[in-house]
């Protein structure tokens, strides 16, 4: 079986694509540490975002250490098999943000169309959802809606993590965000992925964290994704 982790948040710009690609890179690095570099990678990042931001990496990188698949307009039957991909141990799925088409209704707010169906299909085979959020109040309601409408009704195990926190801003909003999460009883990942300019640049240049320089602030920036991956994959958490 393939373990499927879905990056999801209704809000755009919270780090879904960045995390999907970099978690795949770190896990591929860890799982293939003792193998030839040309061995088949056991990790894939799959994007079902029609805007295709994860494809920035695919367009610009010759040899990513993982499979990067843009599943736009692919048959839903293929997405329904994500938990059963031969030779693939782990898949990280990048999803689009969305407008809530049904803010007060009983539906899941996703509406109709291929993207909504693709997201529902992926959620059906997800082992876990990871919900990135920013230390900003404008992120609180969309995160709550994501959990209440998409994840809780499907009984999908989920964890929230804080992304893009800039220590130079001080820790007031970091503390407020943690409080907001914990007050609602949501499981919160300890690792806070800090804001580093290199992450923003890397996405444009097609670089993933495993390819960063191993010194200075680049190494510190990469470390957050290693810590995130390690926390996600800690044995007791599974
Ligand atoms: N920890 C971080 N530090 C710096 N820039 C970040 C960080 N996380 C995300 N970004 C940048 O923020 C923008 C939005 O991130 P992205 O992963 O595309 O969000 P989403 O997929 O949720 O819309 C991108 O330009 C990305 O490079
Ligand atoms: Mg994205």
């Amino acid at each position: 079986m393939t373990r499927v982790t879905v990056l999801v948040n209704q809000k755009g710009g919270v780090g879904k694509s960045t995390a999907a690609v970099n978690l795949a890179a770190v896990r591929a690095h860890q799982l293939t540490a003792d193998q030839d570099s040309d061995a088949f990678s056991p990790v894939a990042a799959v994007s079902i975002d029609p805007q295709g931001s994860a494809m920035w990496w695919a367009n610009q990188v010759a040899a990513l250490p993982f499979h990067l698949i843009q599943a736009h307009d692919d048959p839903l039957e293929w997405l329904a098999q994500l938990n059963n991909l031969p030779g693939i141990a782990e898949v990280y799925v990048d999803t689009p943000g969305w407008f809530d088409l049904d803010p007060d209704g009983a539906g899941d707010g996703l509406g109709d169309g291929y993207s909504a169906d693709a997201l529902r299909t992926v959620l059906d085979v997800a082992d876990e959802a990871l919900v990135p959020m920013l230390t900003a109040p404008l992120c609180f309601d969309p995160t709550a809606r994501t959990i209440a409408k998409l994840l809780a009704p499907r009984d999908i195990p989920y964890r929230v993590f804080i992304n893009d926190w800039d220590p130079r801003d001080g820790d007031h909003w970091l503390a407020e965000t943690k409080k907001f999460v914990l007050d609602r009883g949501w499981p919160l990942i300890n690792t806070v992925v800090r804001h580093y300019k290199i992450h923003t640049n890397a996405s444009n240049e097609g670089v993933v964290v495993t390819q960063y320089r191993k010194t200075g602030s680049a190494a510190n920036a990469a470390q957050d994704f290693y810590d995130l991956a390690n926390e996600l994959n800690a044995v007791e958490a599974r």
Side-chain angles (χ1 to χ4, degrees), residues 67-79:
H67 311 273
L68 182 55
I69 302 163
Q70 180 73 45
H72 186 221
D73 290 337
D74 285 36
L76 294 176
E77 292 74 34
W78 186 80
L79 290 175

Side-chain angles (χ1 to χ4, degrees), residues 107-130:
D108 62 15
L110 288 175
D112 306 318
Y114 177 82
S115 284
D117 288 339
L119 182 48
R120 290 189 189 96
T121 303
V122 164
L123 291 171
D124 282 345
V125 295
D127 292 287
E128 182 175 26
L130 259 189

Side-chain angles (χ1 to χ4, degrees), residues 5-222:
T5 303
V6 181
L7 279 295
V8 62
N9 195 320
Q10 177 184 28
K11 182 115 188 74
V14 297
K16 296 180 290 292
S17 302
T18 304
V21 166
N22 284 314
L23 285 172
V26 168
R27 291 298 292 158
H29 177 76
Q30 292 175 334
L31 293 173
T32 61
D34 51 3
Q35 288 177 16
D36 293 345
S37 57
D38 56 356
F40 185 80
S41 178
V43 179
V46 173
S47 172
I48 58 164
D49 184 353
Q51 310 281 311
S53 43
M55 292 312 279
W56 281 107
W57 279 273
N59 290 336
Q60 297 179 59
V61 171
L64 285 173
F66 54 91
H67 311 273
L68 182 55
I69 302 163
Q70 180 73 45
H72 186 221
D73 290 337
D74 285 36
L76 294 176
E77 292 74 34
W78 186 80
L79 290 175
Q81 292 294 315
L82 277 186
N83 59 349
N84 198 9
L85 298 179
I88 305 288
E90 298 178 14
V91 168
Y92 294 86
V93 187
D94 180 29
T95 67
W98 71 92
F99 296 107
D100 198 334
L101 300 173
D102 180 28
D104 306 312
D108 62 15
L110 288 175
D112 306 318
Y114 177 82
S115 284
D117 288 339
L119 182 48
R120 290 189 189 96
T121 303
V122 164
L123 291 171
D124 282 345
V125 295
D127 292 287
E128 182 175 26
L130 259 189
V131 186
M133 71 183 293
L134 309 176
T135 55
L138 57 81
C139 203
F140 291 4
D141 282 349
T143 302
R145 257 196 309 279
T146 301
I147 291 169
K149 289 206 164 183
L150 282 199
L151 303 180
R154 292 175 168 84
D155 274 331
I156 298 172
Y158 65 87
R159 287 182 271 180
V160 174
F161 77 93
I162 293 170
N163 178 42
D164 207 22
W165 173 62
D166 192 338
R168 290 170 301 188
D169 292 341
D171 57 14
H172 172 76
W173 282 110
L174 178 63
E176 289 293 310
T177 304
K178 285 182 177 175
K179 184 175 183 311
F180 181 85
V181 170
L182 296 173
D183 281 353
R184 276 153 192 78
W186 302 338
L188 177 64
I189 287 191
N190 284 318
T191 302
V192 174
V193 178
R194 292 164 293 180
H195 173 84
Y196 278 99
K197 192 75 188 156
I198 190 174
H199 292 316
T200 326
N201 295 338
S203 59
N204 296 326
E205 290 162 11
V207 173
V208 293
V209 293
T210 51
Q211 300 165 324
Y212 289 5
R213 273 184 299 106
K214 303 291 184 274
T215 55
S217 67
N220 294 334

